[in-house]
Amino acid sequence: MALRCNVLVCGGSACLMSGDAAKVARNFELILKAKGFGDEAQVVTTGCFGFCEQGPIVKIEPDNVFYIKVSPSDVKTIVEEHITKGRIVERLLYEEPGLRRKLGKTEDMPFYKKQVRIALRHCGLINPEDIGEYIALGGYEALGRVLTNMTPQQVSDEIGRSGLRGRGGGGFPTGLKWEITRQSPGEKKYIICNADEGDPGAFMDRSILEGDPQGVIEAMAIAGYAVGAQTGIIYIRAEYPLAIKRLDTAITQARAHGMLGKDIFGSGFDFDIVFHYGAGAFVCGEETALINSCEGKRGEPDYKPPYPAQTGYKGFPTCVNNVETLANIPEIILKGAEWFAGIGSPKSPGTKVFALAGKIRNVGLVEVPMGITLREIIYEIGGGIKGGKKFKAVQTGGPSGGLIGEDGLDTPIDYESLLGAGSMMGSGGMIVMDEDDNAVDITKFYLEFALAESCGRCTPCRIGTKRMHEIAEKILAGEGSMDDLELLEQMAEMIRDSSLCGLGQSAPNPVLSTLRGFRKEYEKLIGKAKA
């Protein structure tokens, strides 16, 4: 009997942690079988759809009907009404706020309208534990093209022309990093996938690994060919059990299908992947600290130069790319550098994945073209501030970024514009705050994080973050003075300019951005102390 519909059930961490998504999928299987539709309707557990606020999510294909907040008890209704009789279950559709209009298709929803999904192209669409579904959508075609029709130089040149920049925070040109690694002498070379996502409120890389692990594996093999590496390492934090499980399954399947291992595609190219588990240290997101951790050493950064692309893992040239960066690679190879460069802005081509969190209606994962404004993300995609409250600020770049207030809402999302606004791209965390949040409290929170995560190797970060935290506590306790405010600013600038790695260099960003945009909140607390 022919298959006539797919029931896609979100199997991302957010929906699974609600406790219902797994039961929803199981109920569909049981009820469809009981109704005699077991051969006509297939239940597929996918990766994250992105619209986490509305989970658990179910999508019926080919009807393209999107159901939200589906409970196990709703499954019988969907089967009886939609799958059996072709009647859409209106009460489970998304209702556009303020308009009381039910929307059943993703292309009609404001949350999805401005998104362009490249890194997330397969998330919510395929079963991440079935390599066959990945291959059916063109998976490993890019690797085949590279190994049979392109030289390593041509591959790195193609990525260079695309303008792809590292999506882990620094924004370094990916093609250039590949070329430096390729040209660096060494009898061995390594590719490392940095999946050590440690920013508060960030879940981009985790969702990609859970929803499309084969895409990252294929990209690592392409990168390995381009730089001359035969071994890839995925450095992933042990707190991501679902991502680890799906990656492990994907690697096993890729080996079984000849996509990893010896003589891939009969090209003579050998490449395989191993895991290294991180213990959750935020500083290990920095590439030299990550490499030290991979080698069994204390996870702390090294002085640069030499850079890992020259001397990295075990002393050999090593290219470190984060998950989202790699997720773009197969599409660039298939569609061309010019296609990718035509999306986004001239200096920041392509798209960026953001984890929207905080005081926003539509918490979730979004992928948008570079150059879109903060206002568009927060008010059009994100649906505005929860509870009708007034917007106060948005924190981009996690603890390494800064707070951007209302006067910066029209800032374009690209590397240079965010730096100019006193923040940074970071890995893609975006935490929205409302009028009830206090800038000094927020600053203290991020300083606590930086203090706890500092590896302690350099004095500015080890001691400086502690002193800044003490001053923030003093001001919040009503014991601060204007001299403390001046000292806080001076220390922040000194730590930014003299710390060894990105953690210390960026730890002062929340301090400096709140002093610039919300100084009156500091002065108000100091005024209370004097009174």
Side-chain angles (χ1 to χ4, degrees), residues 204-286:
M204 301 77 59
D205 291 351
R206 184 191 72 194
S207 295
I208 292 171
L209 291 173
E210 290 175 358
D212 190 18
Q214 295 289 355
V216 175
I217 292 168
E218 181 179 12
M220 289 181 71
I222 292 170
Y225 175 73
V227 308
Q230 294 185 345
T231 302
I233 300 169
I234 297 178
Y235 185 91
I236 185 168
R237 51 183 47 222
E239 298 96 327
Y240 283 0
L242 182 60
I244 290 169
K245 173 181 175 290
R246 289 180 177 170
L247 265 172
D248 191 43
T249 299
I251 289 171
T252 300
Q253 292 179 354
R255 287 182 186 135
H257 282 71
M259 308 303 181
L260 290 177
K262 299 287 186 181
D263 194 26
I264 302 171
F265 286 109
S267 65
F269 173 62
D270 303 339
F271 188 80
D272 212 341
I273 293 173
V274 298
F275 283 109
H276 187 92
Y277 301 113
F282 179 68
V283 73
C284 286
E286 194 278 333

Side-chain angles (χ1 to χ4, degrees), residues 5 123 231 348 367 438 519:
C5 78
C123 295
T231 302
S348 299
E367 184 172 3
N438 179 275
R519 195 180 190 93

Side-chain angles (χ1 to χ4, degrees), residues 178-198:
W178 286 17
E179 185 62 16
I180 293 170
T181 310
R182 189 183 71 81
Q183 292 185 2
S184 296
E187 63 180 82
K188 292 182 182 178
K189 295 181 182 180
Y190 292 92
I191 291 291
I192 296 182
C193 170
N194 181 354
D196 189 64
E197 185 175 51

Side-chain angles (χ1 to χ4, degrees), residues 360-398:
I360 194 162
R361 279 189 180 137
N362 298 335
V363 170
L365 201 67
V366 304
E367 184 172 3
V368 292
M370 293 281 199
I372 193 172
T373 65
L374 287 168
R375 187 184 302 276
E376 289 174 278
I377 293 179
I378 293 167
Y379 284 97
E380 295 181 37
I381 297 173
I385 312 304
K386 276 184 178 176
K389 297 276 187 175
K390 186 179 178 183
F391 169 84
K392 179 164 195 168
V394 57
Q395 171 90 356
T396 68

Side-chain angles (χ1 to χ4, degrees), residues 133-184:
E133 294 199 13
Y134 180 73
I135 292 172
L137 291 179
Y140 290 104
E141 184 181 335
L143 178 60
R145 183 178 300 182
V146 161
L147 295 183
T148 57
N149 293 316
M150 299 175 75
T151 65
Q153 174 78 62
Q154 288 173 328
V155 177
S156 60
D157 285 350
E158 187 76 5
I159 300 305
R161 284 197 303 274
S162 75
L164 175 66
R165 297 171 66 175
R167 297 303 196 241
F172 191 81
T174 304
L176 178 58
K177 182 181 280 192
W178 286 17
E179 185 62 16
I180 293 170
T181 310
R182 189 183 71 81
Q183 292 185 2
S184 296

